[in-house]
Amino acid sequence: MLAEIDVAIIGAGVIGLATAREIAQGKKEVFVFEKNRTFGLETSSRNSEVIHAGIYYPEDSLKAKLCVEGKNLLYELCGKHTIAHKKCGKIIVAADESEVTWLEQLLEQGRRNGVADLVLLSRTEVKKLEPHIEARAGLLSPSSGIFDSHNLLKFLYAQARERGTEFAFGTEVIGIERKGAKYKVQIRDRDGISDVIARVILNCAGLNSDRIAQLAGIDITRAGYRLHYCKGEYFSLDSKYRNLVSRLIYPAPEQAGHGIHWRQTLDGRVLLGPSAHYVEEIDYSVDGTHKQYFYDSAKRFLPFLDLEDLAPESSGIRPKLQGPGEDFRDFVIAHEEKTGFPGLINLIGIESPGLTAALAIARYVRTMMA
Ligand SMILES: Cc1cc2nc3c(=O)[nH]c(=O)nc-3n(C[C@H](O)[C@H](O)[C@H](O)COP(=O)(O)OP(=O)(O)OC[C@H]3O[C@@H](n4cnc5c(N)ncnc54)[C@H](O)[C@@H]3O)c2cc1C
């Protein structure tokens, strides 16, 4: 007889972990299948660790709502469970006159999203707060911050386990077949291939989430679920730049990202990034020839930079629904009942602000399941 479980979660990134912790409270038998040897080895540990305020996204989008809600939940959880974090604030800078109108629009957008504490700054006010920054104007977001995402992942994993979730690491989901009101989930681990029966499947497979939906039988092109990979690289700065700037500094966003920003990590390192360029393959190496591009982008608002002080650091890959040149796409968090897959919940395109929104996404999924 096949093993039978209530809920199969595919993927142990921040979304799978937060969701497991959230739903395991309700006496369900929850299993997390993760192809890697442990949790959080992909996008959830390759990002900026920024707690976003929720400014950029169109109002009423899931990105806006879940970011604002998730930010509050995340600060609360970090405070309660001593996960290192710092509400350092952020300034989005207009490098020249043409960008000032855009800052004003961003202020309005943020307010519509419920980010009530934003303040427009003149050149003098920016200088007062951050004497080393060059900007025509700025938008201060006091509720933006940084945190230790690795400790968050550890915490979510430990709590999900305490609440009864089982984790199967080194276990890749390779097939999904509907069997009446349930699903046969085919898995491959070091002992070979086997099946389990699950009543509910939560697809939290990050960069693979479109393929998981396809495995289940969804036409992902028709559904608009096909992912595009968009790589973001980071360069580190020499330690002489430590403590020159205390807030996060962001420029005008690019089409596919928030722009190359300045960030001092909790352990004091200073980083520039991430960039944004579409790629076909998952390859985390950092191309040293991109140094000049990073330098030119950041020099506009960080005039003190020297080219030789930049060094390649790390990278991450965004699972984007929006292809090159395309318009905004929201997170997909969908119960596929209407498409003929009751009990299958897809989470696709969970790019930034996915880390900030994770706890709110988990609640949203719990409500959807109920
Ligand atoms: C460069 C960059 C910077 C970012 N900066 C920020 C930021 O500052 N703030 C913020 O809020 N967000 C940020 N994000 C977004 C954030 O990191 C993601 O939204 C979040 O980590 C997504 O988590 P996840 O669990 O969906 O994906 P992942 O962490 O990728 O987890 C998915 C898991 O599924 C597993 N999996 C896949 N296929 C299978 C299978 N077939 N069987 C079993 N397991 C499988 C994978 O191994 C993986 O562990 C950034 C992203 C990038 C790329």
Side-chain angles (χ1 to χ4, degrees), residues 7-302:
V7 184
I9 297 181
I10 308 172
V14 71
I15 302 301
L17 293 174
T19 308
R21 166 184 177 263
E22 185 71 35
I23 62 175
Q25 302 185 72
K27 291 206 179 90
K28 288 187 191 69
E29 219 179 341
V30 181
F31 267 74
V32 179
F33 298 107
E34 168 55 58
K35 66 179 168 55
N36 293 331
R37 64 181 165 76
T38 188
F39 57 88
L41 294 184
E42 301 208 0
T43 312
S44 298
S45 54
R46 296 180 159 276
N47 54 65
S48 302
E49 301 187 293
V50 169
I51 303 181
H52 287 298
I55 305 168
Y56 299 93
Y57 325 103
E59 66 268 31
D60 299 329
S61 62
L62 286 175
K63 282 185 179 170
K65 283 196 258 187
L66 297 173
C67 182
V68 173
E69 183 188 336
K71 166 185 68 176
N72 296 329
L73 292 171
L74 189 53
Y75 276 124
E76 195 184 316
L77 185 128
C78 288
K80 200 163 155 192
H81 298 282
T82 53
I83 295 170
H85 64 288
K86 193 168 165 193
K87 208 184 249 186
C88 53
K90 137 173 160 182
I91 302 178
I92 307 170
V93 292
D96 54 42
E97 199 59 42
S98 68
E99 288 179 359
V100 177
T101 321
W102 160 79
L103 271 193
E104 288 161 357
Q105 287 164 357
L106 214 49
L107 169 74
E108 292 310 317
Q109 184 63 67
R111 285 185 177 157
R112 283 197 295 272
N113 292 352
V115 188
D117 56 358
L118 299 173
V119 186
L120 266 182
L121 304 172
S122 65
R123 179 198 295 268
T124 321
E125 286 165 330
V126 173
K127 272 268 176 251
K128 223 175 190 175
L129 291 177
E130 297 290 357
H132 298 286
I133 293 300
E134 194 49 58
R136 166 66 190 79
L139 182 64
L140 174 69
S141 166
S143 71
S144 303
I146 50 173
F147 79 114
D148 179 348
S149 64
H150 299 274
N151 263 329
L152 174 74
L153 295 172
K154 274 191 207 158
F155 171 82
L156 295 175
Y157 171 65
Q159 248 197 7
R161 282 195 61 181
E162 263 168 41
R163 293 175 181 179
T165 303
E166 301 275 352
F167 283 82
F169 292 121
T171 306
E172 184 179 2
V173 170
I174 56 168
I176 298 174
E177 192 186 330
R178 188 159 166 210
K179 291 273 175 201
K182 299 179 182 170
Y183 292 90
K184 185 164 91 174
V185 181
Q186 191 169 54
I187 52 180
R188 179 169 50 210
D189 60 17
R190 63 178 178 193
D191 298 325
I193 292 176
S194 55
D195 298 321
V196 287
I197 297 287
R199 203 170 50 78
V200 172
I201 296 182
L202 304 182
N203 170 12
C204 304
L207 294 165
N208 265 339
S209 52
D210 57 344
R211 280 178 233 167
I212 293 290
Q214 193 168 36
L215 276 186
I218 289 180
D219 180 340
I220 57 169
T221 306
R222 233 172 100 186
Y225 288 175
R226 200 172 282 285
L227 287 174
H228 306 269
Y229 292 163
C230 182
K231 187 166 177 179
E233 294 177 327
Y234 295 91
F235 276 70
S236 61
L237 289 181
D238 189 274
S239 58
K240 73 181 186 204
Y241 295 108
R242 283 181 183 209
N243 305 321
L244 273 188
V245 178
S246 62
R247 293 169 182 78
L248 297 156
I249 307 294
Y250 278 58
E254 300 166 353
Q255 191 263 338
H258 289 161
I260 306 277
H261 58 261
W262 160 288
R263 169 173 57 108
Q264 180 146 356
T265 62
L266 287 164
D267 58 12
R269 286 172 304 130
V270 187
L271 299 175
L272 293 178
S275 51
H277 60 277
Y278 284 90
V279 293
E280 294 299 324
E281 302 290 331
I282 297 177
D283 166 10
Y284 292 117
S285 60
V286 179
D287 185 340
T289 65
H290 293 165
K291 180 166 154 167
Q292 185 72 42
Y293 168 74
F294 273 72
Y295 173 75
D296 291 342
S297 306
K299 183 87 177 166
R300 294 178 74 207
F301 55 97
L302 304 168

